[in-house]
Amino acid sequence: MRALFSSLRDGKGFDISLIAIAMVFLILFSGAPLVYNAIMSFQEVDIFNLGTFIRPWVGLDNYRSLFADPSTLPIFWNTVVFVFSSIAGQFIVGFGLALFFTLKFPGAAYLRGLFLVSWVMPGLVVGAIWNWILSGDFGILNHFLKSVGFISENIFWRSDINYSLWAVIIANIWLGTAFNMILLSVGLAAIPRDVYEAAELDGATAIQRFRTITLPMMRATIGAVVSLGLIFTLQQFDLFAAITSGGPANSSNVAQYKAWEMSFREYDFARGATISVLMIVVVMIASVIYVRSTKQEVRG
Amino acid sequence: MSDVTQIELSNINKHYGSFHALKDINLSIPKGQFVALVGPSGCGKSTLLRSIAGLESISSGSMSIAGEVVNNLPPRKRDVAMVFQSYALYPHMTVLNNLTYSLRIKGANMKQANKAAEKIAKTIGLSDLLSRYPRELSGGQRQRVAMGRAIIRDPKAFLFDEPLSNLDASLRVHMRKEIRALHDRLGATSVYVTHDQIEAMTMADHVVVLCEGEIVQQGSPLDLYDTPANKFVAGFIGSPAMNFVDGVICEDGKSVQLNFDHPQKIALNRKLPAGQKVEAGMRPEHLTISNNAANLSAKIAMTEATGPITYYTTDTTPELTLIQQGRGTVSTGDEIGLTIKPEHIYLFDKDTGLVL
């Protein structure tokens, strides 16, 4: 008994118990639900057997019926458009801002800090604000676009099936830009000043320096930002709930929102779980890329 | 070395806000010369070098390289190469790509660029390392890559910013010779910044001593050593450093009273106004230990034997450093006499520091 206590105090037992606490937490709250979710996607689940673990095994039936549903493929396509457009927008604007804030001008640090506001706000609040901005009749975005002459008629961003998905994408780009900017700023700051000076003396123009020094040396950071962006974008739920609720006619519906609708609106937990499993696969691939890109950091 | 001026600086001034970093710098560097800018840290030597490179702007004055005024040219158009203290190699490129970077930027074809790099690599001993990344190289090898990257461009001038300060002592001595040999072989024009006066003395044709943003003296290494213009240069150049003692010119004007804890009088070879306050400077090698007819007397407080040279410190205040070739003939605790020839006594004005 005493040996056990002393080992816990300053021996191997201490190390193991530290790890064990984290592991138990992970398995209990992340691992088990994940496995439970995967199992559920192979079962027949209805409102009557929801409280039990042992349910009829149906193999791939849930997957088959999911893809047989004509609304599924458009929703997956929407997800692809949403993810790629959001990441592209967030990355380009974020990188631009990060480069801008490497210039030393008075107030640069404060101004950059201000961009973090988008990070502090809950998604539902962001959604509510963008509802006003995007509003067809009195929205400031329409007013702006009309004033500069890009459009002549009001666009009903949230209720027009051609624009509804883009309404959420615009809001999501705004939401994710600050995160991209901060991570990319850190990456930029890690590139030594004198490497740029050496390149400048070697005859490189600003564009050549960006292409041959900045981009290659930022590869690890860019990989991390993009794969984290993928994960965050696939998690984005609040904005859909707040802005379009996936409508009209599923025109702005995406996999993560659909999974919630299936499970908690239609109580079709099996198919909700099926969509989640497919998303887990995508996120896992992104995670592997993320872990690899942070491993291969090149620093002189 | 020819008479053609390669780099011409006239009345260069640089202000950082209210701080006057460079004050009226005038310097003319002939083609093929090896110039060392030397001075204590913060004296402006690196700022001056970076101004020549174009990495720092100058507030006023005119700067020309190979006859062309470059005041408003960006660094990439000045055609000068720089070796940085940190080497500043491109960490994501192999040695080969580091060497060929400047050629590739200008759109040279890969084959020719690689050929040029291989040739350079051979001359500076990098042939086996071309496929390595900078992180896989030792300090000395990185230093070579940095030099190779400068050489391959065949620039109008080489600028070195304390390139040896990150190397260990023995490698530093070796690279000193190598850089100088390379300079001679290429017939290059080099400006070399260092805080190490030995580096400046051993490598350069022409040494420029800077202090607080001003050129205090320039000339050949031995000129600076033999005829320093002021106390700063006298104390900075030479190792071990010159001994300084406060003094007053005596009534006769032909001797000086040195204010040790027990004042001692010593004859001069010139006449100065009686009562003038001075600082007397005596190089360690000019003070000879002898017991008969000595000018000064002291007691050995410490002995440091290195083999070929023995260093002594006296117990006087201020203390004196003495050197003797070979093994020492006296030892700690001995009472000794010191002689010095009058022409070897440097006198500096107590207030201005200028040589008298």
Side-chain angles (χ1 to χ4, degrees):
Chain A
M1 203 60 194
R2 275 188 68 177
L4 180 74
F5 271 124
S6 83
S7 155
L8 264 182
R9 231 186 2 250
D10 46 26
K12 245 188 179 156
F14 181 70
D15 305 351
I16 292 169
S17 59
L18 276 184
I19 296 167
I21 293 167
M23 284 308 287
V24 165
F25 185 87
L26 266 177
I27 290 168
L28 213 60
F29 294 106
S30 292
L34 222 67
V35 174
Y36 180 58
N37 184 72
I39 292 171
M40 220 158 58
S41 75
F42 296 105
Q43 288 178 329
E44 189 185 302
V45 187
D46 55 38
I47 206 87
F48 301 107
N49 65 15
L50 201 53
T52 57
F53 279 108
I54 315 297
R55 309 184 185 105
W57 187 265
V58 294
L60 292 172
D61 275 5
N62 288 324
Y63 291 85
R64 273 187 220 109
S65 76
L66 182 71
F67 282 102
D69 184 335
S71 71
T72 303
L73 278 183
I75 286 173
F76 278 145
W77 176 244
N78 282 348
T79 314
V80 171
V81 172
F82 177 71
V83 166
F84 276 88
S85 308
S86 295
I87 291 177
Q90 289 169 359
F91 179 78
I92 290 167
V93 179
F95 207 171
L97 285 171
L99 287 169
F100 177 62
F101 282 115
T102 58
L103 303 175
K104 304 265 173 286
F105 57 90
Y110 294 102
L111 213 54
R112 185 166 65 180
L114 217 57
F115 274 87
L116 289 179
V117 165
S118 70
W119 231 11
V120 191
M121 293 198 337
L124 282 173
V125 175
V126 173
I129 292 169
W130 276 95
N131 275 343
W132 289 331
I133 298 175
L134 294 166
S135 164
D137 299 317
F138 58 82
I140 189 94
L141 184 63
N142 275 341
H143 179 74
F144 172 74
L145 291 176
K146 270 205 294 202
S147 313
V148 297
F150 280 162
I151 57 171
S152 50
E153 294 281 306
N154 278 341
I155 293 176
F156 287 82
W157 289 96
R158 292 157 56 215
S159 49
D160 187 325
I161 56 165
N162 295 315
Y163 293 104
S164 54
L165 183 61
W166 292 99
V168 188
I169 291 172
I170 291 169
N172 194 36
I173 288 174
W174 181 84
L175 194 63
T177 293
F179 174 75
N180 277 251
M181 178 192 75
I182 292 298
L183 248 63
L184 292 166
S185 286
V186 173
L188 284 174
I191 302 175
R193 188 75 231 135
D194 52 11
V195 171
Y196 283 114
E197 292 180 342
E200 212 175 337
L201 283 163
D202 267 348
T205 61
I207 291 167
Q208 284 171 324
R209 291 199 295 275
F210 180 74
R211 209 167 43 76
T212 58
I213 308 288
T214 310
L215 278 184
M217 288 194 72
M218 291 279 287
R219 241 179 47 198
T221 313
I222 292 171
V225 167
V226 169
S227 28
L228 281 178
L230 179 62
I231 292 167
F232 289 156
T233 317
L234 280 177
Q235 276 181 3
Q236 186 48 262
F237 177 84
D238 312 20
L239 288 179
F240 287 96
I243 298 176
T244 63
S245 306
N250 278 337
S251 63
S252 67
N253 210 348
V254 289
Q256 62 266 36
Y257 195 76
K258 180 70 178 172
W260 174 79
E261 277 187 342
M262 286 274 193
S263 299
F264 299 103
R265 281 284 157 90
E266 299 168 25
Y267 299 106
D268 188 347
F269 284 94
R271 286 211 281 165
T274 308
I275 297 176
S276 302
V277 168
L278 293 172
M279 290 180 65
I280 289 166
V281 172
V282 175
V283 170
M284 276 185 168
I285 293 169
S287 308
V288 170
I289 297 172
Y290 167 65
V291 170
R292 285 209 167 174
S293 70
T294 49
K295 249 189 212 163
Q296 286 178 342
E297 286 196 57
V298 182
R299 292 278 177 256
Chain B
M1 217 185 294
S2 68
D3 298 336
V4 183
T5 303
Q6 187 72 352
I7 299 176
E8 178 87 55
L9 308 176
S10 42
N11 298 314
I12 303 289
N13 279 282
K14 166 89 185 166
H15 300 268
Y16 289 109
S18 62
F19 177 61
H20 201 168
L22 295 175
K23 299 169 190 159
D24 279 326
I25 301 289
N26 284 293
L27 181 59
S28 170
I29 303 172
K31 198 175 164 75
Q33 199 174 50
F34 196 114
V35 174
L37 304 180
V38 64
S41 45
C43 70
K45 57 192 191 297
S46 280
T47 307
L48 181 56
L49 190 80
R50 290 170 59 83
S51 307
I52 298 173
L55 297 171
E56 302 275 352
S57 61
I58 51 174
S59 310
S60 68
S62 153
M63 182 180 289
S64 61
I65 299 172
E68 186 188 6
V69 176
V70 295
N71 281 26
N72 296 316
L73 283 186
R76 66 191 171 85
K77 291 197 173 150
R78 294 196 181 192
D79 195 19
V80 296
M82 186 154 160
V83 176
F84 291 81
Q85 181 173 8
S86 59
Y87 316 134
L89 302 179
Y90 309 123
H92 56 295
M93 296 181 200
T94 58
V95 170
L96 179 71
N97 287 340
N98 262 281
L99 292 177
T100 56
Y101 183 79
S102 60
L103 304 178
R104 286 183 288 129
I105 281 294
K106 290 194 187 82
N109 82 40
M110 280 298 251
K111 232 180 191 171
Q112 278 176 338
N114 288 350
K115 218 176 202 175
E118 274 156 27
K119 205 171 131 199
I120 297 282
K122 210 180 233 172
T123 62
I124 52 175
L126 286 172
S127 295
D128 300 334
L129 305 172
L130 286 175
S131 57
R132 298 251 199 112
Y133 283 91
R135 62 177 177 277
E136 301 164 338
L137 302 178
S138 69
Q141 289 165 337
R142 289 179 199 191
Q143 169 71 64
R144 273 163 218 263
V145 178
M147 298 211 320
R149 195 173 61 175
I151 296 166
I152 201 167
R153 290 175 38 200
D154 190 21
K156 290 185 186 132
F158 289 96
L159 309 177
F160 296 91
D161 189 7
E162 309 218 15
L164 303 184
S165 52
N166 288 341
L167 301 179
D168 61 59
S170 62
L171 195 55
R172 207 179 304 158
V173 173
H174 175 75
M175 289 305 287
R176 223 150 72 185
K177 289 185 206 139
E178 215 166 291
I179 291 177
R180 181 64 221 215
L182 205 62
H183 166 91
D184 291 339
R185 196 165 68 231
L186 297 170
T189 308
S190 302
V191 184
Y192 188 103
V193 160
T194 177
H195 63 269
D196 181 352
Q197 54 93 18
I198 295 271
E199 257 175 44
M201 295 286 282
T202 52
M203 296 174 78
D205 304 313
H206 189 84
V207 176
V208 178
V209 184
L210 284 128
C211 182
E212 290 174 358
E214 265 177 306
I215 294 182
V216 287
Q217 194 176 3
Q218 51 177 312
S220 76
L222 291 179
D223 278 351
L224 295 191
Y225 188 84
D226 293 337
T227 54
N230 59 28
K231 192 196 162 200
F232 174 79
V233 176
F236 193 77
I237 303 282
S239 174
M242 187 184 273
N243 295 299
F244 291 105
V245 188
D246 277 356
V248 185
I249 301 294
C250 298
E251 296 278 319
D252 59 3
K254 281 194 217 156
S255 57
V256 59
Q257 176 184 296
L258 300 178
N259 293 328
F260 289 109
D261 37 357
H262 302 294
Q264 308 196 35
K265 212 165 128 181
I266 194 163
L268 299 171
N269 61 344
R270 63 212 122 144
K271 201 165 164 40
L272 286 161
Q276 183 171 6
K277 289 198 161 116
V278 297
E279 277 194 84
M282 294 169 282
R283 293 221 179 263
E285 73 270 24
H286 291 150
L287 287 160
T288 320
I289 299 174
S290 62
N291 287 319
N292 36 355
N295 303 118
L296 302 166
S297 64
K299 190 173 166 186
I300 304 284
M302 196 166 71
T303 312
E304 293 164 282
T306 63
I309 296 172
T310 307
Y311 299 89
Y312 301 105
T313 311
T314 64
D315 73 343
T316 51
T317 310
E319 61 184 30
L320 296 174
T321 303
L322 315 171
I323 61 173
Q324 245 182 353
Q325 294 301 320
R327 307 299 155 97
T329 56
V330 292
S331 51
T332 305
D334 287 358
E335 296 278 355
I336 54 158
L338 292 167
T339 53
I340 182 164
K341 291 181 185 159
E343 66 264 30
H344 283 151
I345 298 171
Y346 296 91
L347 291 174
F348 304 97
D349 188 294
K350 177 77 185 149
D351 300 321
T352 63
L354 292 174
V355 76
L356 295 170

